[in-house]
Amino acid sequence: MITLYDYDLSGNCYKVRLLLALLGVSYQRHPIDFYPGREHKSPWFLALNPLGQLPVLEDDGLVLRDAQAILVYLASMYDSSGRWYPAGEPALLGVISSWLMFADAITGTASAARLHDGFFYDFDIERCRSGAHRLFRILDEHLWFSERSAQGWLAPGANPSIADIAVYPYVQLSEEGGIARRDYPAIRRWLDRVKLLPGFVTMPGILSLPVHA
Amino acid sequence: MSGAEDIDRRRWFALCSREDLPATHIFETDLLGQELAVWRGPGGIVNVWVNRCPHRGIRLTVGAIMGAELRCAYHGYRYTNGSGACSAVPAQPGRAAPRSLCVKSYPVLEAGGLIWTRLADPEPAAGPPLDGTGDFTPLYGLAVKSRPAEVAIHLAGYRFRPSAALAAPETADESCSTVQIDAYGFQSVARKGRLTSEVYLFLQPVDAQTTNIHGVLCEVPDGQRLEAALRHHAQLFGRLRDACERGVRDRAP
Ligand SMILES: N[C@@H](CCC(=O)N[C@@H](CS)C(=O)NCC(=O)O)C(=O)O
Ligand code: FES
């Protein structure tokens, strides 16, 4: 059985829960008291992940940290369709990896701004926000062109990939860090598309989009 | 409010392109500080509404489109495509919807591949500078953190290359000139020999710090040429935005 060391309000944990839900893979949660308990800095957790960060995933003796690494593993292991992380397509894998890196840069800016506003972290808030806007501009233009040439996902082709899942959470949660999305129409349409994926699940702060007749 | 602001509220402004409004998506923008929710309902009707639910003031853009209605995310009140009238209140299924609850909506025009609106009456004599006919390709538009007058100065110097010539290196017989049509509109023509390419560029005053640029190409190039032209203008817009914002920063105290 897969175990996810998890915190409800963490976007990085949420992206793992989201992919597990989209793949229909069952797992058990081990809730961590991230705030205010700081359980991710406790000795037993540091033994599991010396970086003291969530999420961590355990599967059949394998212990993995870093949400992006976990998405790569889960898609490679459990996605029989091969769409989320297409092993046989090197160029596509390269593109997907570049967006996984981008996702971590979003964590360092948009997520940091949210930790500052909602969890009282001592970050340079203006730097976090301007850094996020710089990334959002790049993302918006990329998605606009992707809408024109393909289906509007981050990597080329007809299907979403783990790149979309990795980037999604902290873009959707950006307003909790004071980062408005008014100036990014292509990003907003992409957020709608992710919400309409079959099997989509929410987290606190993210509304679902009703599917309608 | 000053006279100039009054005139601005009456004139037509481009808000987005027709492609910005796919089914079931609610587009969000501001015009002269007024927050707007824009969506296309059944029958191709485009709605430009004040982005506030008349019930308790929640933004309509966090709601959802359900057929011919927009449903507010908060208490589920529904507002009708075309009129903005409240059609249903979930807590009172059997009762008629209160007629006083109506979203304020603004006039809409579709012209040149763009969606236009204006905020106040009376309607000015001048419509949008583009008509509804003709083939236009909307360009990637973007927001500049700068005032319209500032962006206009930069747009007046807009120089691009004809889309049919983009694959070849630039040569001496190429030229481009841009003229200002009015306070918020520009027309730009690029030539190389017999080839020409023409774009219109429009400014949307969003709020005190933000101006959107909307552009349309007056042709529909095919395949690769289209892609190259779109990339070309997106790159030029990006540079123009950076130059504008650098100017704004340099003058900050
Ligand atoms: N690169 C890591 C970053 C994870 C991360 O920043 N996790 C947050 C919770 S969302 C955390 O544990 N922060 C505590 C810390 O960094 O000390 C990933 O993508 O999983
Ligand atoms: S605020 Fe919109 S229904 Fe109550």
Side-chain angles (χ1 to χ4, degrees), chain B residues 226-240:
Chain B
L226 173 61
E227 173 77 9
L230 294 174
R231 295 272 176 199
H232 180 55
H233 287 285
Q235 195 172 57
L236 293 174
F237 281 13
R239 283 188 203 151
L240 189 141

PDB file of all heavy atoms in Angstrom, chain B residues 226-240:
ATOM      1  N   LEU B 226       1.579  31.871 -40.253  1.00  0.00           N
ATOM      2  CA  LEU B 226       0.750  32.382 -39.162  1.00  0.00           C
ATOM      3  C   LEU B 226       1.512  32.283 -37.842  1.00  0.00           C
ATOM      4  O   LEU B 226       1.615  33.251 -37.090  1.00  0.00           O
ATOM      5  CB  LEU B 226      -0.557  31.591 -39.089  1.00  0.00           C
ATOM      6  CG  LEU B 226      -1.460  31.887 -37.893  1.00  0.00           C
ATOM      7  CD1 LEU B 226      -1.903  33.333 -37.902  1.00  0.00           C
ATOM      8  CD2 LEU B 226      -2.673  30.968 -37.882  1.00  0.00           C
ATOM      9  N   GLU B 227       2.034  31.099 -37.580  1.00  0.00           N
ATOM     10  CA  GLU B 227       2.788  30.870 -36.336  1.00  0.00           C
ATOM     11  C   GLU B 227       3.934  31.880 -36.215  1.00  0.00           C
ATOM     12  O   GLU B 227       4.147  32.496 -35.168  1.00  0.00           O
ATOM     13  CB  GLU B 227       3.306  29.423 -36.339  1.00  0.00           C
ATOM     14  CG  GLU B 227       4.244  29.054 -35.203  1.00  0.00           C
ATOM     15  CD  GLU B 227       3.520  28.804 -33.879  1.00  0.00           C
ATOM     16  OE1 GLU B 227       2.272  28.741 -33.879  1.00  0.00           O
ATOM     17  OE2 GLU B 227       4.221  28.698 -32.854  1.00  0.00           O
ATOM     18  N   ALA B 228       4.679  32.059 -37.321  1.00  0.00           N
ATOM     19  CA  ALA B 228       5.828  32.976 -37.294  1.00  0.00           C
ATOM     20  C   ALA B 228       5.376  34.411 -37.017  1.00  0.00           C
ATOM     21  O   ALA B 228       6.008  35.142 -36.244  1.00  0.00           O
ATOM     22  CB  ALA B 228       6.591  32.910 -38.611  1.00  0.00           C
ATOM     23  N   ALA B 229       4.268  34.810 -37.635  1.00  0.00           N
ATOM     24  CA  ALA B 229       3.774  36.177 -37.433  1.00  0.00           C
ATOM     25  C   ALA B 229       3.322  36.378 -35.989  1.00  0.00           C
ATOM     26  O   ALA B 229       3.622  37.404 -35.363  1.00  0.00           O
ATOM     27  CB  ALA B 229       2.625  36.466 -38.400  1.00  0.00           C
ATOM     28  N   LEU B 230       2.623  35.394 -35.445  1.00  0.00           N
ATOM     29  CA  LEU B 230       2.148  35.512 -34.058  1.00  0.00           C
ATOM     30  C   LEU B 230       3.322  35.606 -33.089  1.00  0.00           C
ATOM     31  O   LEU B 230       3.323  36.415 -32.154  1.00  0.00           O
ATOM     32  CB  LEU B 230       1.248  34.329 -33.703  1.00  0.00           C
ATOM     33  CG  LEU B 230      -0.081  34.246 -34.464  1.00  0.00           C
ATOM     34  CD1 LEU B 230      -0.814  32.951 -34.136  1.00  0.00           C
ATOM     35  CD2 LEU B 230      -0.967  35.453 -34.134  1.00  0.00           C
ATOM     36  N   ARG B 231       4.336  34.765 -33.338  1.00  0.00           N
ATOM     37  CA  ARG B 231       5.529  34.794 -32.464  1.00  0.00           C
ATOM     38  C   ARG B 231       6.249  36.135 -32.578  1.00  0.00           C
ATOM     39  O   ARG B 231       6.733  36.683 -31.599  1.00  0.00           O
ATOM     40  CB  ARG B 231       6.500  33.676 -32.854  1.00  0.00           C
ATOM     41  CG  ARG B 231       5.958  32.287 -32.643  1.00  0.00           C
ATOM     42  CD  ARG B 231       6.237  31.777 -31.241  1.00  0.00           C
ATOM     43  NE  ARG B 231       5.623  30.469 -31.052  1.00  0.00           N
ATOM     44  CZ  ARG B 231       5.375  29.930 -29.867  1.00  0.00           C
ATOM     45  NH1 ARG B 231       5.680  30.598 -28.756  1.00  0.00           N
ATOM     46  NH2 ARG B 231       4.816  28.752 -29.758  1.00  0.00           N
ATOM     47  N   HIS B 232       6.347  36.619 -33.806  1.00  0.00           N
ATOM     48  CA  HIS B 232       7.027  37.889 -34.072  1.00  0.00           C
ATOM     49  C   HIS B 232       6.379  39.027 -33.265  1.00  0.00           C
ATOM     50  O   HIS B 232       7.050  39.759 -32.532  1.00  0.00           O
ATOM     51  CB  HIS B 232       6.926  38.169 -35.579  1.00  0.00           C
ATOM     52  CG  HIS B 232       7.565  39.442 -36.039  1.00  0.00           C
ATOM     53  ND1 HIS B 232       8.881  39.758 -35.789  1.00  0.00           N
ATOM     54  CD2 HIS B 232       7.066  40.491 -36.755  1.00  0.00           C
ATOM     55  CE1 HIS B 232       9.164  40.936 -36.320  1.00  0.00           C
ATOM     56  NE2 HIS B 232       8.078  41.405 -36.916  1.00  0.00           N
ATOM     57  N   HIS B 233       5.072  39.146 -33.352  1.00  0.00           N
ATOM     58  CA  HIS B 233       4.397  40.230 -32.637  1.00  0.00           C
ATOM     59  C   HIS B 233       4.439  40.012 -31.120  1.00  0.00           C
ATOM     60  O   HIS B 233       4.577  40.975 -30.366  1.00  0.00           O
ATOM     61  CB  HIS B 233       2.956  40.382 -33.133  1.00  0.00           C
ATOM     62  CG  HIS B 233       2.872  40.987 -34.509  1.00  0.00           C
ATOM     63  ND1 HIS B 233       3.072  42.326 -34.743  1.00  0.00           N
ATOM     64  CD2 HIS B 233       2.653  40.422 -35.727  1.00  0.00           C
ATOM     65  CE1 HIS B 233       2.961  42.573 -36.043  1.00  0.00           C
ATOM     66  NE2 HIS B 233       2.704  41.429 -36.660  1.00  0.00           N
ATOM     67  N   ALA B 234       4.336  38.760 -30.677  1.00  0.00           N
ATOM     68  CA  ALA B 234       4.401  38.498 -29.232  1.00  0.00           C
ATOM     69  C   ALA B 234       5.756  38.938 -28.686  1.00  0.00           C
ATOM     70  O   ALA B 234       5.851  39.538 -27.603  1.00  0.00           O
ATOM     71  CB  ALA B 234       4.153  37.015 -28.940  1.00  0.00           C
ATOM     72  N   GLN B 235       6.793  38.674 -29.464  1.00  0.00           N
ATOM     73  CA  GLN B 235       8.135  39.064 -29.042  1.00  0.00           C
ATOM     74  C   GLN B 235       8.273  40.596 -28.993  1.00  0.00           C
ATOM     75  O   GLN B 235       8.809  41.158 -28.041  1.00  0.00           O
ATOM     76  CB  GLN B 235       9.136  38.478 -30.024  1.00  0.00           C
ATOM     77  CG  GLN B 235      10.557  38.479 -29.542  1.00  0.00           C
ATOM     78  CD  GLN B 235      11.450  37.701 -30.500  1.00  0.00           C
ATOM     79  OE1 GLN B 235      11.511  38.024 -31.683  1.00  0.00           O
ATOM     80  NE2 GLN B 235      12.104  36.682 -29.994  1.00  0.00           N
ATOM     81  N   LEU B 236       7.745  41.248 -30.016  1.00  0.00           N
ATOM     82  CA  LEU B 236       7.818  42.718 -30.045  1.00  0.00           C
ATOM     83  C   LEU B 236       6.996  43.335 -28.911  1.00  0.00           C
ATOM     84  O   LEU B 236       7.425  44.301 -28.273  1.00  0.00           O
ATOM     85  CB  LEU B 236       7.330  43.236 -31.403  1.00  0.00           C
ATOM     86  CG  LEU B 236       8.212  42.876 -32.610  1.00  0.00           C
ATOM     87  CD1 LEU B 236       7.544  43.319 -33.916  1.00  0.00           C
ATOM     88  CD2 LEU B 236       9.600  43.488 -32.488  1.00  0.00           C
ATOM     89  N   PHE B 237       5.823  42.774 -28.650  1.00  0.00           N
ATOM     90  CA  PHE B 237       4.993  43.262 -27.533  1.00  0.00           C
ATOM     91  C   PHE B 237       5.750  43.107 -26.208  1.00  0.00           C
ATOM     92  O   PHE B 237       5.710  43.977 -25.348  1.00  0.00           O
ATOM     93  CB  PHE B 237       3.681  42.482 -27.433  1.00  0.00           C
ATOM     94  CG  PHE B 237       2.619  42.897 -28.430  1.00  0.00           C
ATOM     95  CD1 PHE B 237       2.917  43.708 -29.509  1.00  0.00           C
ATOM     96  CD2 PHE B 237       1.313  42.453 -28.263  1.00  0.00           C
ATOM     97  CE1 PHE B 237       1.932  44.074 -30.421  1.00  0.00           C
ATOM     98  CE2 PHE B 237       0.312  42.825 -29.168  1.00  0.00           C
ATOM     99  CZ  PHE B 237       0.625  43.620 -30.250  1.00  0.00           C
ATOM    100  N   GLY B 238       6.395  41.961 -26.047  1.00  0.00           N
ATOM    101  CA  GLY B 238       7.136  41.700 -24.808  1.00  0.00           C
ATOM    102  C   GLY B 238       8.241  42.729 -24.609  1.00  0.00           C
ATOM    103  O   GLY B 238       8.429  43.265 -23.519  1.00  0.00           O
ATOM    104  N   ARG B 239       8.957  43.031 -25.698  1.00  0.00           N
ATOM    105  CA  ARG B 239      10.034  44.032 -25.602  1.00  0.00           C
ATOM    106  C   ARG B 239       9.472  45.409 -25.287  1.00  0.00           C
ATOM    107  O   ARG B 239      10.032  46.159 -24.492  1.00  0.00           O
ATOM    108  CB  ARG B 239      10.796  44.103 -26.915  1.00  0.00           C
ATOM    109  CG  ARG B 239      11.744  42.959 -27.082  1.00  0.00           C
ATOM    110  CD  ARG B 239      12.600  43.183 -28.307  1.00  0.00           C
ATOM    111  NE  ARG B 239      13.082  41.903 -28.768  1.00  0.00           N
ATOM    112  CZ  ARG B 239      13.368  41.605 -30.034  1.00  0.00           C
ATOM    113  NH1 ARG B 239      13.227  42.528 -30.969  1.00  0.00           N
ATOM    114  NH2 ARG B 239      13.792  40.412 -30.353  1.00  0.00           N
ATOM    115  N   LEU B 240       8.355  45.707 -25.938  1.00  0.00           N
ATOM    116  CA  LEU B 240       7.723  47.011 -25.721  1.00  0.00           C
ATOM    117  C   LEU B 240       7.273  47.145 -24.258  1.00  0.00           C
ATOM    118  O   LEU B 240       7.466  48.177 -23.622  1.00  0.00           O
ATOM    119  CB  LEU B 240       6.535  47.119 -26.670  1.00  0.00           C
ATOM    120  CG  LEU B 240       5.848  48.463 -26.791  1.00  0.00           C
ATOM    121  CD1 LEU B 240       5.458  48.682 -28.244  1.00  0.00           C
ATOM    122  CD2 LEU B 240       4.625  48.547 -25.926  1.00  0.00           C
TER     123      LEU B 240
END
